[in-house]
Amino acid sequence: MIPRLLHFTWKTSELPREMADYYAKWQALHPGWDIRLWTDDSMRAFVAESYPALLATYDSYPKMIQRADAFRYLVLGKLGGIYADLDVEPFEAVTPLLEHEAFVGIEPLEHIFPDRTHQGVPLLFTNAFMGSVADHPLWRTIIAELPKLVGLETFYATGPSMVTAMLLRLERSQRPVFLLPEVWSPLLSDGKRTRTDALVREMVGELGTVIGAEAGRLVSHKWMTTWVPWHMRANRLVEVLQVPTTIKWWLRKQQHRALAATVIPDPIEPYFEQSLVPIAERPHIHIAVRLGELPPAPELERAIAALEYPRDKLSVRYFTEAQAGGLNAMLAARPDEAEFVLLVDGGVRDVPTDALLRMLAARQPVVAASCVDGQGQNADPQLFRYRHGGSFKVLYKDGGAEGALRRDPEHRAYLNEQKVFTMLPLDGVGESFVLLRRDALEAGVGFAETPYKLHLGAEALGIRARDLGFEVAGLPQLEVVRQR
C-alpha cells in the first residue's frame, strides 16, 4: 500500500501565489498526511545522503529541471508516496490511489504530436503525477539507467519519454496502473477539455490496468510548464497568432501539390514492446561485407569471428569495390539457404558479440544497429528517423520544393540521441550494419538507385520497405563502432 506521503518540489520554500494556493488545498484535503515541500537545497542533501553514488550524476545535469526530474524518482524509490507537480490542483483526497502498488498518469492524446507518432510510441506517461510503494521496480529500473542517459535531451534523459521507455521495459505484472487523463488531467495545456480518454483506454488496455472516470476526477494538471520559456508555453492565444502561419503553409501546399502528396509513412504498429526477448531459432544468416580497395581490417575480421552464433548457420563474403556491383547486387548474391542478410560496412571496427541475437530478437524484417564513432556520436548520416515526422513542412524546409533534399540534420533524429529506448522505427537504415529478412528482399526492399520520394540509397530503404508492408527498426542500445 502506498504510504500517506506527498512530495512537492520548488526552488525555495517561497511559492508563487497560484502554486501556494494549490499547496494549501493539498494540505486541507489530506489532514494527517506527511506533506513535504522539497527545495533545491534539500533535494541535493537528500541525494547526497540516500544515493551518494548518484550525486555526481545529479550534479552533472546542465538544467535544474533535470535534477528535479531525477529527484522525484529517487525519493519515490526510497520513501514511496505520491509526487505531484505544484501546478496540479487537487479536487478531492487522493486516498483511493493508495491501494495500488504504483500509478502514473497518461498525457492527453491531444498533446501527442506527429513526432511521437512517427517515433513509434504515440503516447506519454507523465512524471507530473505518480506514486508508489518504496522500492518499486519502475524506480529501480530508472535509477539504474540515469547515469547512462546524461547528455541526452531532457525528455529522454529524465523526462516523460524516459519514464515511458522504462515503463514499457517492465513486465506487465510489474507496471503501475495507468490513470486516464480525465482522472488527473481533464484540461489540456491550452485550457480546453480533453476528449480522448476512450482512445487512450483502447491504446493502453493491453499494456496494463487502466483507471478511468470510475475513479472520479481527482486532480487537474494546469500545465504551467514553468521550466519552458514563457513565449513557448501553450495557451489559447497561440492559436490566434498561428493563423497567418497556417495560411502561409496552406498556400505553399497549393503551389507544390506533388510534394504535398509525398507521404513518409509512420510505423506500421506501435513500438510498445521495449524488451527484446531472445528467439529460440537460429536461422541461416549471410554476412555481406562491403570493402573499399583495401583488404578487410583485422579488427573487423576479429569482430565477425567473435559473433555468438552457430558457425554452421553463418556464411561470410567480402566484396571489394570492383566485386560489389552495388549494394543490391551484394544482397542478391546471398546463398539459397540464407534467411537473412547482414550488410556490414568495411569501416566497422567493433561489434558486440551478441549483435545477431539481439537483432533477431527485434522480430522485424529490417533491423539496423546504431552506428557510432569512437566518441559515441552518430557515424552514419543515412541512419535516421525524421524528427517531427516526414511532413510536407519538413520536406519543404529540407529543400523538397526544389526537387532535392539537403539532408539537414536539424530534421533528423539519430539512434544515439534516444538510446533510452530499446527499439525505435527508422526511415533511413544506413549502410553500416543492417539485417534484412529474405521475404522483404524478395518483395523488392532494397537500396534506391533512383530517387524514391526524394530519397536515394539507404535513405530510401526504410521508406520503401514500409510502403511495401515491412517494418523497419533500429536498436539504439546496440552500438557498432565505425571508423569514419
Side-chain angles (χ1 to χ4, degrees), residues 142-349:
I142 287 175
I143 292 167
E145 293 294 315
L146 286 177
K148 306 174 188 177
L149 305 176
V150 173
L152 299 185
E153 190 271 332
T154 299
F155 249 60
Y156 299 96
T158 60
S161 283
M162 185 276 295
V163 173
T164 301
M166 297 300 175
L167 189 153
L168 292 175
R169 285 194 203 181
L170 297 178
E171 296 179 7
R172 180 184 169 119
S173 62
Q174 295 181 318
R175 291 173 180 164
V177 298
F178 309 141
L179 306 184
L180 293 181
E182 189 67 24
V183 178
W184 80 279
S185 181
L187 299 180
L188 306 173
S189 57
D190 62 3
K192 296 179 181 178
R193 283 288 305 275
T194 178
R195 304 290 183 188
T196 56
D197 272 36
L199 292 175
V200 177
R201 185 186 288 273
E202 181 180 352
M203 182 180 293
V204 304
E206 294 299 315
L207 302 180
T209 302
V210 181
I211 296 177
E214 64 275 9
R217 193 178 304 163
L218 298 178
V219 303
S220 179
H221 192 200
K222 298 306 176 68
W223 304 100
M224 292 182 183
T225 53
T226 55
W227 57 283
V228 176
W230 69 269
H231 63 282
M232 297 176 64
R233 299 176 192 171
N235 58 67
R236 295 189 180 188
L237 182 61
V238 169
E239 295 182 11
V240 178
L241 297 176
Q242 287 293 321
V243 168
T245 301
T246 301
I247 294 173
K248 177 182 69 176
W249 282 105
W250 181 85
L251 290 173
R252 286 176 174 172
K253 283 188 174 183
Q254 308 316 303
Q255 295 167 353
H256 304 280
R257 292 182 181 273
L259 182 62
T262 300
V263 177
I264 306 301
D266 290 328
I268 297 171
E269 297 288 343
Y271 277 57
F272 290 151
E273 182 54 70
Q274 288 294 320
S275 57
L276 297 182
V277 179
I279 65 172
E281 300 80 13
R282 294 294 180 266
H284 187 284
I285 298 177
H286 177 66
I287 302 177
V289 184
R290 185 180 68 165
L291 305 172
E293 298 301 327
L294 300 175
E299 301 97 318
L300 175 57
E301 290 186 303
R302 286 195 293 269
I304 291 176
L307 289 171
E308 299 170 8
Y309 208 77
R311 296 297 107 179
D312 63 333
K313 294 292 186 179
L314 276 183
S315 57
V316 183
R317 180 176 175 184
Y318 292 90
F319 293 82
T320 64
E321 199 70 38
Q323 295 170 325
L327 296 174
N328 289 329
M330 291 173 56
L331 297 175
R334 63 190 181 274
D336 292 340
E337 66 270 22
E339 298 172 68
F340 288 85
V341 177
L342 176 70
L343 178 68
V344 181
D345 183 85
V348 171
R349 293 293 180 267

Side-chain angles (χ1 to χ4, degrees), residues 11-32:
K11 304 168 189 177
T12 67
S13 57
E14 297 296 321
L15 300 178
R17 182 187 57 80
E18 192 170 1
M19 290 182 177
D21 290 343
Y22 294 155
Y23 186 62
K25 195 170 181 180
W26 279 101
Q27 292 173 311
L29 288 170
H30 299 85

Side-chain angles (χ1 to χ4, degrees), residues 35-96:
I35 302 177
R36 305 188 189 185
L37 176 61
W38 299 87
T39 66
D40 289 359
D41 290 340
S42 62
M43 284 192 290
R44 188 182 185 280
F46 173 85
V47 176
E49 179 180 352
S50 301
Y51 297 91
L54 284 175
L55 185 60
T57 296
Y58 184 85
D59 286 340
S60 72
Y61 289 123
K63 300 177 181 179
M64 188 60 216
I65 182 59
Q66 294 173 316
R67 292 190 282 279
D69 279 346
F71 171 79
R72 60 194 72 175
Y73 316 129
L74 297 172
V75 75
L76 289 176
K78 188 72 173 181
L79 304 178
I82 293 175
Y83 169 85
D85 280 355
L86 278 164
D87 61 347
V88 173
E89 179 185 9
F91 294 143
E92 56 185 274
V94 295
T95 308

Side-chain angles (χ1 to χ4, degrees), residues 462-480:
I463 297 169
R464 176 165 170 76
R466 206 166 278 133
D467 282 343
L468 291 171
F470 296 97
E471 189 50 50
V472 185
L475 304 183
Q477 296 167 20
L478 174 60
E479 294 186 337
V480 301

